[in-house]
Amino acid sequence: MIGAVSDTDRAADSARRSLSDLCRYLLVLSRPRFWLYLAGPVAVGVTYGISDVSGLFTPVTVGLTAYFLVPANVFLYGVNDAFDADVDELNPKKEGREARWRGDRLVSVAVFVSGALGLAAFAATPRVAWPYLAGFLLLGAGYSAPPLRFKTTPFLDSASNGLYVLPGAAAYAAVAGTQSLAALAGAWLWAMGMHTFSAIPDIEPDRAAGIRTTATLLGEGRTYAYCAACWVAAAVAFAAVDLRLGALLAVYPLFVAWVSRSSVAVDRAYWWFPALNTAVGTLLAMGGLWRVYPITEALA
């Protein structure tokens, strides 16, 4: 009896360790530093879509934020790592800050379930938001998975990364019942520049692995120019919505111009992006919030 209890306890302890190990792995896999790349646009979309502060925290807005904060990142980066496992063997970014795909059944199931959870968002949102939700799921898979695998086709890899702003477009449409096409175009162009800039540190590993991207095609110098062009166009599109938004987005072409001319290594500057995006996203969200709850009232 004592032996049986001991074996049971050991089995339970092993199961707990396995679950804890799986959770830690999925946490690293989901790129916590980049969580706000999906959840941040939701916050911005909500603050600009609501007509008063009572619309901030509703089942729809909270549900979208919760999904795009963690599960959507597990899905997006899980699919990416699964189909890049061989390429990532040569990628130094996988040594510490990111996880190498280990490909066991539980991880694959977790990634699949994370994607399937996105289907629940269709039941919780109005139809006007559905094209953006569907676009995120389709592009999220098609970016890395064959037969599309957009990430291996120059310029399509960049254009398809508009998927990062689709959570915000879905949130805005869900609460406003419509869409701002100028803001969507500006956000899409911003995401194109962001993706291509992040690919610059991967130029040599991707070339060694035979992967063709916008960055490997253009080379480092011309990729900086491409990113600057995307971000200038994004600032112009946002300025068509509000000049203050255009002025705020102008920080990105200034940033890439500084990096290209400074002695700062691009792989170091790449890791500053989460801080820059968080700062800009916070200002955008606060601007939207002050639209319905003026700062004078907040300070009163």
Side-chain angles (χ1 to χ4, degrees):
M1 176 68 70
I2 293 176
V5 172
S6 179
D7 289 343
T8 300
D9 289 344
R10 280 197 293 269
D13 184 58
S14 177
R16 284 193 294 270
R17 286 199 302 271
S18 296
L19 179 60
S20 176
D21 177 64
L22 174 64
C23 290
R24 283 197 299 270
Y25 174 78
L26 292 175
L27 181 68
V28 178
L29 175 80
S30 69
R31 320 281 208 274
R33 291 173 68 92
F34 302 149
W35 279 358
L36 290 181
Y37 283 7
L38 294 181
V42 173
V44 173
V46 168
T47 57
Y48 282 91
I50 58 176
S51 57
D52 59 72
V53 291
S54 65
L56 275 177
F57 301 104
T58 67
V60 171
T61 61
V62 172
L64 287 174
T65 302
Y67 176 69
F68 284 108
L69 183 63
V70 181
N73 281 290
V74 172
F75 163 70
L76 181 63
Y77 294 116
V79 173
N80 178 83
D81 288 358
F83 290 98
D84 274 10
D86 55 343
V87 177
D88 287 340
E89 289 297 322
L90 302 173
N91 194 334
K93 287 197 304 186
K94 298 294 181 179
E95 293 298 332
R97 296 178 186 266
E98 298 179 5
R100 295 189 188 279
W101 179 253
R102 73 184 195 188
D104 60 60
R105 180 179 297 180
L106 285 178
V107 173
S108 299
V109 168
V111 172
F112 176 81
V113 170
S114 296
L117 284 174
L119 299 177
F122 286 86
T125 54
R127 290 187 178 183
V128 67
W130 291 1
Y132 309 108
L133 295 173
F136 170 78
L137 294 173
L138 292 173
L139 289 175
Y143 175 73
S144 301
L148 298 176
R149 198 158 163 74
F150 294 124
K151 71 181 301 175
T152 61
T153 303
F155 299 111
L156 282 181
D157 60 338
S158 176
S160 64
N161 259 252
L163 68 91
Y164 279 95
V165 303
L166 291 177
Y172 181 91
V175 297
T178 186
Q179 190 57 260
S180 170
L181 295 181
L184 181 58
W188 200 287
L189 288 161
W190 165 80
M192 289 171 59
M194 183 188 73
H195 163 266
T196 309
F197 183 89
S198 71
I200 296 175
D202 295 336
I203 288 177
E204 293 309 320
D206 283 346
R207 283 176 173 170
I211 299 297
R212 298 182 70 243
T213 67
T214 301
T216 63
L217 177 67
L218 296 178
E220 184 171 333
R222 286 185 294 180
T223 301
Y224 283 130
Y226 175 85
C227 294
C230 287
W231 283 330
V232 167
V236 170
F238 273 107
V241 179
D242 189 300
L243 288 176
R244 292 167 294 185
L245 297 180
L248 180 59
L249 267 292
V251 70
Y252 287 96
L254 293 176
F255 173 78
V256 74
W258 172 73
V259 172
S260 68
R261 295 176 179 274
S262 73
S263 59
V264 175
V266 66
D267 55 350
R268 182 183 179 193
Y270 166 78
W271 291 107
W272 295 343
F273 244 49
L276 174 62
N277 289 337
T278 298
V280 172
T282 298
L283 290 173
L284 281 172
M286 292 304 295
L289 184 59
W290 290 337
R291 180 181 56 87
V292 294
Y293 191 69
I295 189 172
T296 52
E297 293 185 22
L299 296 176

